[in-house]
Amino acid sequence: MDKFSYLNTSDLVALDQLYKEYLKNPDSVDVSWKQFFEGYEFARKDYDSEKEAEFYPNEFKVINLINAYRQRGHLFTKTNPVRTRRQYTPTLEYENFGLKSEDLNKSFKAGNEIGLENATLQEIIDKLQKTYCQSIGVEFKYMRKPEIVNWLQEKMEGPFNTPNFDKNFKINILTEISQGVLFEKFIHKKFPGQKRFSLEGAEALIPALHAITETGTELGIKEFVIGMAHRGRLNILANILKKPLEDIFHEFEGSEYTDEYLMGDVKYHLGFTSDSKTRNA
């Protein structure tokens, strides 16, 4: 039932006359009708754009800018050191979100969204650029679980997506990358023409997997099972699972294996199981 149906039973002429009296003198009508006509007037009110701008739009424009960096920042990263990557439109320039140059030095409470309290628009943009548009690109907003999305945002936006590693940790990363690079160079030189599905260009996978296993063991994980594609598999076997290099090279040279152990796989892509001791164990 229409909650305003009671008005249909009213005398429309009398109601119109009552409204005219209200317009002349709001206190001349009963208080209930006065409140009714006040609501009617409020509903009819057409606030112009200038008054709307005074209330809230700029804050929401900044929030839209922040969300755009989270959703599309990976398209504007500096991941190609040789040349600038292709251009995508629209860009993340603040003008595309209805903001102006005079807004750059204004403070916005929307900065709280990324951990900056009452930050200027310029400070907000600087943080978004450092977090989402440097040498690391992250595409994650497509995920359907809000708790995962929020966790990633907090982890990235807190340290500007730039972890502060100590000197020893950086040395370990360099050592592990160097081991991966040297392994690929040796295989390429020693076994020319052999299919090896090199890890070249993705050597960072070695320290990344080391970091995963180190952190995982600290959290109580006892066993890791790695489902591996062909690309980079030999490097993972050698530098993560510590499969003896002589075994890997022996397989390259064409060692005989019975069919029951091969299971249709390439001879130098056989799996491996090992027990490893982490640095913090």
Side-chain angles (χ1 to χ4, degrees), residues 18 26-35:
L18 200 61
D27 294 325
S28 65
V29 299
D30 183 79
V31 64
S32 60
W33 282 111
K34 178 182 178 182
Q35 292 173 347

Side-chain angles (χ1 to χ4, degrees), residues 130-158:
K130 291 178 181 177
T131 302
Y132 294 110
C133 297
Q134 296 304 305
S135 58
I136 298 177
V138 186
E139 185 177 6
F140 67 102
K141 293 296 284 187
Y142 66 90
M143 295 180 180
R144 297 183 178 182
K145 292 188 176 180
E147 60 270 22
I148 295 178
V149 173
N150 293 334
W151 185 87
L152 287 170
Q153 284 180 185
E154 291 175 4
K155 290 294 182 181
M156 291 184 291
E157 292 174 357

Side-chain angles (χ1 to χ4, degrees), residues 24-84:
K24 293 178 182 178
N25 181 11
D27 294 325
S28 65
V29 299
D30 183 79
V31 64
S32 60
W33 282 111
K34 178 182 178 182
Q35 292 173 347
F36 175 83
F37 290 134
E38 285 176 349
Y40 175 66
E41 288 292 314
F42 179 77
R44 295 182 62 204
K45 188 72 173 178
D46 184 17
Y47 291 96
D48 57 61
S49 58
E50 291 184 0
K51 289 185 178 180
E52 287 183 356
E54 293 175 2
F55 284 102
Y56 46 77
N58 278 357
E59 292 286 352
F60 283 104
K61 290 174 184 176
V62 176
I63 290 178
N64 289 337
L65 174 67
I66 292 172
N67 288 330
Y69 268 91
R70 290 168 172 170
Q71 293 171 348
R72 303 178 65 243
H74 63 280
L75 299 177
F76 305 93
T77 50
K78 302 170 184 176
T79 52
N80 192 333
V82 179
R83 61 179 180 273
T84 56

Side-chain angles (χ1 to χ4, degrees), residues 236-252:
I236 301 302
L237 287 171
N239 290 305
I240 298 296
L241 297 178
K242 304 302 180 183
K243 182 174 182 178
L245 296 179
E246 57 268 28
D247 290 352
I248 296 176
F249 301 150
H250 196 51
E251 292 165 4
F252 257 101

Side-chain angles (χ1 to χ4, degrees), residues 151-196:
W151 185 87
L152 287 170
Q153 284 180 185
E154 291 175 4
K155 290 294 182 181
M156 291 184 291
E157 292 174 357
F160 293 68
N161 216 2
T162 307
N164 185 23
F165 298 133
D166 59 36
K167 181 179 179 180
N168 290 333
F169 197 91
K170 292 179 179 179
I171 291 175
N172 288 332
I173 292 175
L174 178 61
T175 301
E176 291 162 1
I177 291 178
S178 298
Q179 289 172 345
V181 171
L182 290 173
F183 177 84
E184 296 294 345
K185 287 184 177 179
F186 180 85
I187 292 289
H188 178 67
K189 183 177 180 180
K190 186 68 176 178
F191 303 99
Q194 287 270 27
K195 287 184 178 180
R196 57 193 175 95

Side-chain angles (χ1 to χ4, degrees), residues 104-107 114 116-129 160:
L104 290 174
N105 294 321
K106 292 181 181 178
S107 294
I114 56 174
L116 298 177
E117 186 175 354
N118 289 327
T120 65
L121 177 59
Q122 186 63 65
E123 291 172 337
I124 293 171
I125 292 174
D126 289 344
K127 178 167 185 177
L128 292 170
Q129 280 284 330
F160 293 68

